[in-house]
Amino acid sequence: MNAVSSTRAICVAVVGVGLVGSEFIHQLLAFPTPNPFRIVSISSSKATLSSLHGLSLSKSGWKSDLTNSSATTSKQKVSDLVSELSALVTPGQKVILVDNTSSQEVASEYPEILKAGINIITPNKKAFSGELSLYEKILKESMDSGARFLNEATVGAGLPIISTLKDLAATGDKVLKIEGVFSGTMSYIFNEFSTVQGGGPSFSSVVRIAREKGYTEPHPADDLNGADVARKLTILSRFIPSLLSSLPSGYLSVSTRSLVPKELEDVDSGDEFVRRLEEFDAEFDKMREEAFKEGSVLRFVGVVDVASGEIKAELQKYPFTHPFATSLGGSDNIIMFHTERYGARPLIVQGAGAGAGVTAMGVMSDLLKLV
């Protein structure tokens, strides 16, 4: 007999089957026997597979099964899915919705999902980095229903950033400051552009190559504007009680220095943006040269200063001896926790902060916390 009976297997509904969603399903189907999870629904933007008794899926065939499904995804897909899943919520039966989208529409439904007693696991940053009012509703419904929301993969992909922050707070340590390179895209760009050797390629060429390698969004301005870093800072700050209400408009309330030249802010085409970015290479070269003369490199960082309440995302200079100058490579993330316990030497978490494999791992690790 299996250690987990089929009637008590944890019911999992997966929304979103893009790169991360597909990798997550692959990891879930590869889980060793006895698998404590039963997939009851898979939804893409176009089609849905569902069976409240559990879907029979194979690692090689689930995608074609979804594509060939006669059940199309309706505009009311989230509320309809919640209604179906709520019927499974009974004492001793856990139900989990895994949101692998980046959809604001799905994120806005989190309070209702939690209210129905359905747990949420997600790499979607929208609900936790937007308006404070939505986040407060999520907290309230989670507390009232007992359903949990876990979002490790919203910051640092599979890196233990949020869980580390939670553990520090839960064990009574006092967080003084969090600072780090939170964007894999920005990490790659400045690791290539500003080094301890000085000089180097032009800023526009580094951005162009990063785009060609798939490190940036199709429109690089969506990375260079700093919004992604601001969202991650918002998420972290809301796990610090004294800062919970400090960002009423979420990431829009974060002090953010965009690296998008004002003259290019209205350029709609990613190709045109990269081409015209060359016009501003001299300005970036000057900043790099000034930093090098001071014995520093340039890094785009996020900082949460708990004492002052300052939360900012900006380009800063770091000495050649600093970990942000010596330890980073490729598109790594690196986050430093300055706390009372980790005073003289901060706690550092570093590693790949982007990619479908590690992001799906972060989602999977959250799922295992509910077993």
Side-chain angles (χ1 to χ4, degrees):
M1 180 180 292
N2 287 346
V4 180
S5 71
S6 60
T7 57
R8 288 305 178 193
I10 297 171
C11 297
V12 178
V14 182
V15 179
V17 293
L19 291 175
V20 173
S22 295
E23 175 61 24
F24 169 74
I25 292 172
H26 176 78
Q27 292 182 15
L28 192 56
L29 293 176
F31 202 87
T33 303
N35 192 326
F37 306 109
R38 182 169 77 242
I39 301 176
V40 296
S41 175
I42 298 177
S43 302
S44 70
S45 59
K46 297 179 180 179
T48 297
L49 280 176
S50 66
S51 171
L52 297 186
H53 299 292
L55 293 166
S56 178
L57 303 169
S58 68
K59 287 185 284 186
S60 60
W62 72 266
K63 280 192 175 182
S64 60
D65 290 343
L66 180 62
T67 301
N68 297 326
S69 172
S70 59
T72 58
T73 300
S74 69
K75 291 183 179 180
Q76 300 298 320
K77 61 178 180 179
V78 180
S79 57
D80 290 346
L81 179 60
V82 172
S83 296
E84 292 179 8
L85 294 177
S86 62
L88 295 174
V89 179
T90 57
Q93 177 65 73
K94 292 180 182 177
V95 181
I96 303 169
L97 186 144
V98 180
D99 173 21
N100 288 315
T101 74
S102 59
S103 166
Q104 181 64 57
E105 177 189 356
V106 179
S108 297
E109 295 288 339
Y110 285 5
E112 291 303 312
I113 296 170
L114 293 165
K115 185 177 183 179
I118 300 166
N119 301 278
I120 296 170
I121 293 172
T122 185
N124 186 347
K125 293 184 279 288
K126 299 290 175 63
F128 312 106
S129 62
E131 294 289 331
L132 179 61
S133 57
L134 174 58
Y135 188 68
E136 289 178 331
K137 289 178 183 176
I138 289 171
L139 292 178
K140 178 183 183 302
E141 297 301 346
S142 176
M143 185 174 295
D144 288 350
S145 69
R148 297 175 63 187
F149 65 90
L150 296 170
N151 60 334
E152 183 70 75
T154 57
V155 181
L159 295 177
I161 306 300
I162 290 176
S163 56
T164 296
L165 178 57
K166 286 181 175 179
D167 287 345
L168 289 170
T171 57
D173 200 355
K174 183 178 181 181
V175 178
L176 306 175
K177 183 168 74 170
I178 303 171
E179 62 179 329
V181 176
F182 290 92
S183 165
T185 302
M186 292 292 212
S187 180
Y188 174 83
I189 288 173
F190 284 98
N191 289 340
E192 295 293 313
F193 177 69
S194 180
T195 69
V196 297
Q197 287 79 32
S202 67
F203 187 75
S204 63
S205 69
V206 173
V207 172
R208 174 177 52 78
I209 293 170
R211 184 173 184 245
E212 291 171 354
K213 290 186 174 183
Y215 290 155
T216 75
E217 296 293 334
H219 198 315
D222 293 336
D223 295 294
L224 296 178
N225 63 14
D228 178 65
V229 176
R231 283 189 179 278
K232 292 169 182 175
L233 295 177
T234 302
I235 292 168
L236 292 179
S237 71
R238 287 175 172 171
F239 284 109
I240 300 173
S242 63
L243 298 179
L244 173 61
S245 303
S246 63
L247 301 171
S249 297
Y251 77 102
L252 295 175
S253 298
V254 174
S255 175
T256 306
R257 179 187 174 185
S258 172
L259 298 184
V260 177
K262 288 187 178 299
E263 295 86 344
L264 303 186
E265 287 178 349
D266 296 325
V267 175
D268 294 328
S269 164
D271 290 336
E272 182 184 353
F273 178 87
V274 172
R275 185 173 62 253
R276 289 193 56 193
L277 192 59
E278 294 179 9
E279 301 168 17
F280 304 89
D281 278 339
E283 296 178 22
F284 286 98
D285 285 346
K286 182 180 179 182
M287 288 190 289
R288 174 173 62 185
E289 185 178 348
E290 290 175 350
F292 184 75
K293 287 180 179 178
E294 296 175 16
S296 299
V297 296
L298 297 171
R299 296 291 181 261
F300 195 90
V301 299
V303 177
V304 177
D305 191 319
V306 181
S308 68
E310 185 178 33
I311 304 170
K312 59 185 179 181
E314 64 182 15
L315 195 64
Q316 288 193 7
K317 301 172 186 176
Y318 286 90
F320 290 160
T321 56
H322 194 279
F324 292 179
T326 62
S327 298
L328 283 173
S331 57
D332 277 3
N333 284 182
I334 182 169
I335 291 85
M336 304 176 78
F337 293 92
H338 301 266
T339 75
E340 286 189 342
R341 290 180 187 150
Y342 293 91
R345 297 174 61 83
L347 188 161
I348 299 177
V349 179
Q350 177 183 352
V358 290
T359 302
M361 183 198 77
V363 177
M364 189 69 189
S365 70
D366 274 347
L367 189 64
L368 292 171
K369 292 169 188 171
L370 295 179
V371 174

